[in-house]
């Protein structure tokens, strides 16, 4: 392993500590690695050492390169200084990607508390958005002014370009209330962003990895809190793709950035019903498919098959469902789904208002 410390801004005491694992040789098919960029907390007054290198080491153990950004704090924390530090760090890492064997398109950011706010800002409003974001008891929208009067609300900044997110928090956090994470999850849901969340029953603020090297055994917290570390590693492997032991590179990701394929170039059964029915040619195909199923399913009482005018709330629910799932409820077979999917994939994914 190689360690490098890079001074990004001497005047503001901004540095990037990079830990690079070996590739090739005994690692055979691993010629590059994803990287996790760690943003420690500290209320924008300091960068917590408990949330710096100990966190980086957890991801190094999992096979990822890691870096710790000690960004602008205290007298230099005026926004957007911290975000500019992040942008500079990301640009530097991408420039070094070939030399340091980094997947430039597989850089995740992890932040804690105020560092979680910076990670959320990176995910929602930066030029160099990460490929994934891990937010630990992060300040988001509800209490952002409590740690920095100039820091922006990240909840309202969530959009379709926000990457997949992993969030963890404790229910009784009395420094950063859990509603910060809940409001952020609501925004992710509204914009169809993939996420995973772990809200543990009880535990203190600032627990970092929550093993005994950073958190005393006498601390009152759920024994399951440390599980966020392996859970986040498993989630990253789903989002980035795991290492392939048969050939160079990574396996295909198991999880997409969005739950639906509404943003894809062509329609498919993985688009939402509302999106497909908002496309004239897509609606025509769906109506034909439903008519075909209706002729062969006399016992079903589903409004989809009965041709009934659905109540507004039910229509809203159906519009959010994937075509694949909606047709599953009316017992469409796999052959039917494959046939419909092949036809939908011939239709450009444009949408008109229903």
């Amino acid at each position: 392993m190689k360690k490098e410390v890079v001074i990004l801004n001497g005047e503001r005491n901004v540095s990037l500590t990079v830990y690079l694992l070996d590739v090739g040789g005994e690692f055979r098919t691993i010629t590059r690695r994803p990287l996790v960029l760690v943003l420690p907390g500290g209320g924008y007054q300091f960068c917590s050492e408990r949330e710096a290198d100990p966190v980086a080491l957890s991801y190094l153990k999992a096979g990822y390169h890691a870096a710790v950004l000690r960004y602008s704090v205290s007298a230099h924390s005026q926004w957007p200084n911290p975000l500019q530090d992040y942008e500079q760090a990301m640009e530097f890492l991408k420039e070094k990607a070939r030399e340091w064997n980094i997947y430039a398109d597989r850089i995740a950011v992890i932040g804690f508390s105020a560092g979680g706010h910076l990670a959320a800002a990176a995910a929602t409003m930066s030029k160099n958005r990460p490929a994934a974001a891990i937010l630990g008891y992060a300040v988001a929208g509800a209490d952002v002014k409590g740690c920095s009067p100039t820091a922006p609300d990240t909840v309202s900044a969530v959009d379709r370009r926000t990457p997949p997110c992993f969030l963890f928090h404790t229910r009784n956090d009395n420094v950063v209330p859990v509603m910060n994470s809940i409001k952020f999850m609501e925004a992710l849901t509204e914009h169809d962003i993939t996420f995973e969340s772990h809200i543990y029953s009880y535990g203190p603020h600032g627990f970092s990895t929550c093993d005994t090297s950073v958190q005393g055994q006498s601390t009152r917290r759920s024994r399951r809190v440390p599980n966020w570390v392996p859970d986040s590693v498993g989630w990253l492997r789903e989002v980035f793709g795991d290492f392939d032991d048969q050939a160079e590179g990574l396996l295909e990701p198991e999880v997409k950035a969005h739950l639906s394929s509404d943003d894809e170039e062509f329609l498919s059964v993985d688009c939402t019903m509302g999106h497909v029915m908002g496309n004239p040619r897509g609606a025509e195909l769906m109506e034909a498919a439903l008519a075909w199923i209706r002729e062969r399913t006399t016992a079903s009482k589903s409004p989809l098959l009965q041709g009934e005018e659905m109540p507004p709330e039910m229509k809203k629910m159906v519009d959010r469902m994937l075509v694949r799932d909606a047709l599953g409820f009316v017992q469409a077979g796999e052959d039917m789904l494959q046939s419909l999917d092949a036809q939908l994939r011939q239709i450009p994914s444009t949408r008109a208002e229903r």
Side-chain angles (χ1 to χ4, degrees), residues 165-229:
C165 294
F166 181 101
L167 303 93
F168 61 96
H169 216 129
T170 54
R171 172 64 183 89
N172 66 329
D173 189 326
N174 60 4
V175 177
V176 176
V178 72
M179 285 306 297
N180 282 262
S181 289
I182 292 173
K183 291 294 185 182
F184 200 86
M185 284 188 281
E186 287 178 345
L188 294 172
T189 301
E190 181 181 346
H191 290 88
D192 192 33
I193 307 300
T194 293
F195 71 88
E196 180 170 324
S197 169
H198 297 264
I199 297 178
Y200 299 99
S201 55
Y202 66 102
H205 182 74
F207 50 75
S208 183
T209 56
C210 207
D211 58 56
T212 55
S213 67
V214 295
Q215 192 73 55
Q217 292 187 19
S218 61
T219 303
R220 188 175 182 274
R221 87 273 194 248
S222 168
R223 294 181 182 179
R224 293 174 292 106
V225 172
N227 293 347
W228 78 260
V229 177

Side-chain angles (χ1 to χ4, degrees), residues 5-297:
V5 179
V6 181
I7 303 302
L8 298 181
N9 189 313
E11 181 181 342
R12 299 205 303 253
N13 199 28
V14 177
S15 67
L16 184 68
T17 303
V18 185
Y19 297 95
L20 300 169
L21 294 172
D22 294 336
V23 298
E26 292 184 63
F27 295 102
R28 295 177 303 213
T29 59
I30 300 178
T31 57
R32 288 185 292 166
R33 297 178 185 272
L35 181 141
V36 177
L37 177 60
V38 182
L39 307 177
Y44 282 122
Q45 297 306 302
F46 66 100
C47 285
S48 168
E49 292 304 318
R50 297 171 66 257
E51 296 166 346
D53 292 354
V55 176
L57 291 171
S58 297
Y59 292 99
L60 288 166
K61 181 181 178 182
Y64 298 100
H65 296 312
V68 178
L69 175 63
R70 291 172 172 86
Y71 50 88
S72 297
V73 294
S74 190
H76 302 297
S77 64
Q78 179 83 11
W79 201 265
N81 284 353
L83 187 61
Q84 289 175 346
D85 299 336
Y86 162 81
E87 300 276 22
Q88 186 179 359
M90 283 290 280
E91 288 169 5
F92 178 81
L93 290 169
K94 289 179 179 180
E95 287 172 4
K96 288 285 192 177
R98 183 182 295 273
E99 178 185 346
W100 285 352
N101 302 308
I102 300 169
Y103 282 102
D105 61 345
R106 295 290 187 274
I107 298 178
V109 64
I110 176 169
F112 301 82
S113 193
H117 172 267
L118 180 54
T124 58
M125 59 184 69
S126 70
K127 292 184 296 182
N128 294 283
R129 298 203 189 190
I134 301 172
L135 309 178
Y137 40 89
V139 177
D143 293 314
V144 67
K145 301 306 178 188
C147 71
S148 174
T150 60
D153 170 19
T154 58
V155 171
S156 61
V158 173
D159 59 15
R160 290 282 291 185
R161 292 179 54 224
T162 301
C165 294
F166 181 101
L167 303 93
F168 61 96
H169 216 129
T170 54
R171 172 64 183 89
N172 66 329
D173 189 326
N174 60 4
V175 177
V176 176
V178 72
M179 285 306 297
N180 282 262
S181 289
I182 292 173
K183 291 294 185 182
F184 200 86
M185 284 188 281
E186 287 178 345
L188 294 172
T189 301
E190 181 181 346
H191 290 88
D192 192 33
I193 307 300
T194 293
F195 71 88
E196 180 170 324
S197 169
H198 297 264
I199 297 178
Y200 299 99
S201 55
Y202 66 102
H205 182 74
F207 50 75
S208 183
T209 56
C210 207
D211 58 56
T212 55
S213 67
V214 295
Q215 192 73 55
Q217 292 187 19
S218 61
T219 303
R220 188 175 182 274
R221 87 273 194 248
S222 168
R223 294 181 182 179
R224 293 174 292 106
V225 172
N227 293 347
W228 78 260
V229 177
D231 282 343
S232 69
V233 170
W235 175 81
L236 273 179
R237 287 178 174 154
E238 292 175 352
V239 171
F240 282 175
D242 204 351
F243 296 106
D244 190 343
D245 64 350
Q246 302 298 317
E248 290 184 7
L250 299 173
L251 296 170
E252 284 297 312
E254 299 175 40
V255 176
K256 295 181 178 181
H258 300 104
L259 298 183
S260 75
S261 295
D262 287 357
D263 287 341
E264 298 292 329
E265 186 177 357
F266 294 93
L267 298 179
S268 73
V269 295
D270 291 312
C271 292
T272 60
M273 284 288 293
H275 185 71
V276 172
M277 295 299 286
N279 180 297
R281 291 176 61 196
E284 184 179 337
L285 272 180
M286 281 300 305
E287 293 294 350
L290 292 171
W292 187 90
I293 297 170
R294 192 180 299 121
E295 291 176 2
R296 291 158 177 78
T297 311

Side-chain angles (χ1 to χ4, degrees), residues 256 259-262 264 266-273 275-276 285-286 289 320-328 332-346:
K256 295 181 178 181
L259 298 183
S260 75
S261 295
D262 287 357
E264 298 292 329
F266 294 93
L267 298 179
S268 73
V269 295
D270 291 312
C271 292
T272 60
M273 284 288 293
H275 185 71
V276 172
L285 272 180
M286 281 300 305
R320 289 197 300 261
M321 295 176 69
L322 300 184
V323 171
R324 178 189 301 279
D325 296 336
L327 293 188
E334 188 60 32
D335 289 346
M336 170 68 183
L337 282 174
Q338 290 182 8
S339 174
L340 178 61
D341 190 54
Q343 295 175 75
L344 287 173
R345 289 181 183 277
Q346 304 302 310

